Structure formats: C-alpha cells, structure tokens
C-alpha cells in the first residue's frame, strides 16, 4: 500500500455492472505495458447494482459519491488519488494497451500540460458513423480532444479539477487545461498512437 503510485486512473461509474470489469481489464492491460505503478479508482456514484462489488473483486479502489454532476464525481476520484499523473476514462469505454505509457511519456517530455485521446467506436451504424465524423471534425477544429483526459495531479489541483457544470464539462475542462498550459508555456495535445 505504501509503494509509489505513478498514475491514478479515475473511473466514474453509475450502475455500470455490465461495463466496469471490461474497463478495468483494459486499464490493467495498459498498465502491464507501463513501467510504473498504476492504481485504479472507481468512483461509485449512487450505485444500486453490483458495480462496487465487481470493481473491488477486480482490484480497484472504490470511492462512494452522491453528487449529481459528473465533474464532481471525477473530482472526488482526483482528490483521493495517490498518483503523480491522473487519467480519467468513462466506465463504458476502454483504453488501448499503450495509452498509459504514451500519456506519461508526453507529460515527462515537459512540452505538454496534458490532453485527451481520440475516440474509436467498437461498432458502426450510420448514426454512429455520423457521430464519429462529427467528433473528429470538432476535435480537429478545436484541438480539444477529450475521451480520456490526462494531466499531472498538480495541474488538476491548479485549475480546480474538472469544471463543475452539468453538461459539456469535458469541453470546458479541456479549454481550461489548454489556457493554463499556454500560461505555463506548454501545449494541450492528444495521444497519437492510442485511443
């Protein structure tokens, strides 16, 4: 319990028993390709299903939360995180094998304040294809990729965590991170090899 944690992955979850193990497994796979220590924190937000039990059975720390704002749920995880670097991923998402290592390497370079990750859908239908296209265009124009957020814990503390609003908190947080990065002479970026 006293080992140095390099990366804390925060997973907000509200009744996600169908997805939580799959998400944790993807984080563990990514952690296996990273040379440092990774902790997984599942923030159970008003869960009434087996999410908490499944998370614990699969090696995650669990934090209980009753806020009605996803940004506050993420911030609850960031507050208790022991890692120098924070990554967030939604429970119904998965990360690719090199995600943690790439984000950590980009932060270690000193050029970047943090960033996001491209999104790839597991299956496609016409509406999902349109959604994917809109995301790619929006991210390309603004440069504000989200999906998986990553930055140093000290950076999240400096900006006050995720912007606590009920909708579009990811975009608002990306804007704040980008602005703070500019003040520090660093760029907000996105992962290039992982999603």
């Amino acid at each position: 319990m006293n080992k140095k944690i390099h990366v804390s992955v925060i997973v907000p979850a509200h009744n996600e028993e169908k997805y939580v193990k799959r998400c944790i497994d993807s984080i563990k796979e990514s952690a296996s390709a990273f040379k440092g220590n990774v902790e997984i924190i599942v923030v159970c937000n008003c869960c009434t299903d087996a999410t908490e039990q499944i998370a614990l059975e699969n090696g995650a720390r669990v934090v209980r939360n009753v806020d009605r704002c996803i940004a506050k749920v993420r911030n609850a995880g960031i507050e208790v995180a022991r890692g120098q670097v924070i990554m967030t991923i939604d429970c119904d998402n998965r990360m690719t094998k090199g995600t943690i290592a790439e984000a950590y390497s980009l932060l270690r370079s000193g050029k970047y304040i943090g960033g996001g990750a491209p999104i790839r859908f597991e299956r496609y239908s016409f509406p999902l294809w349109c959604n994917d296209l809109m995301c790619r265009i929006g991210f390309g124009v603004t440069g504000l990729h989200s999906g998986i957020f990553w930055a140093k814990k000290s950076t999240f503390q400096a900006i006050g965590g995720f912007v606590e609003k009920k909708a579009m908190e990811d975009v608002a947080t990306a804007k704040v991170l980008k602005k703070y990065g500019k003040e520090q002479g660093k760029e907000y970026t996105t992962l290039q090899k992982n999603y």
Side-chain angles (χ1 to χ4, degrees), residues 29-47:
E29 182 180 15
S30 188
S32 73
F34 173 65
K35 293 182 179 171
N37 296 314
V38 177
E39 71 172 347
I40 302 168
I41 302 172
V42 175
V43 185
C44 288
N45 178 248
C46 301
C47 291

Side-chain angles (χ1 to χ4, degrees), residues 116-136:
I119 297 169
R120 299 293 179 265
F121 291 91
E122 327 181 80
R123 60 182 176 79
Y124 278 90
S125 61
F126 184 71
L128 287 175
W129 181 84
C130 291
N131 189 5
D132 187 17
L133 183 62
M134 286 174 50
C135 285
R136 289 181 194 227

Side-chain angles (χ1 to χ4, degrees), residues 30-84:
S30 188
S32 73
F34 173 65
K35 293 182 179 171
N37 296 314
V38 177
E39 71 172 347
I40 302 168
I41 302 172
V42 175
V43 185
C44 288
N45 178 248
C46 301
C47 291
T48 57
D49 66 358
T51 300
E52 180 175 347
Q53 178 185 343
I54 295 167
L56 289 168
E57 287 171 357
N58 286 277
R61 286 176 63 197
V62 169
V63 173
R64 292 188 186 132
N65 177 275
V66 296
D67 288 307
R68 297 180 62 85
C69 170
I70 187 66
K72 288 184 177 184
V73 176
R74 289 190 180 109
N75 288 339
I78 292 169
E79 186 178 328
V80 301
R82 295 179 293 148
Q84 302 167 318

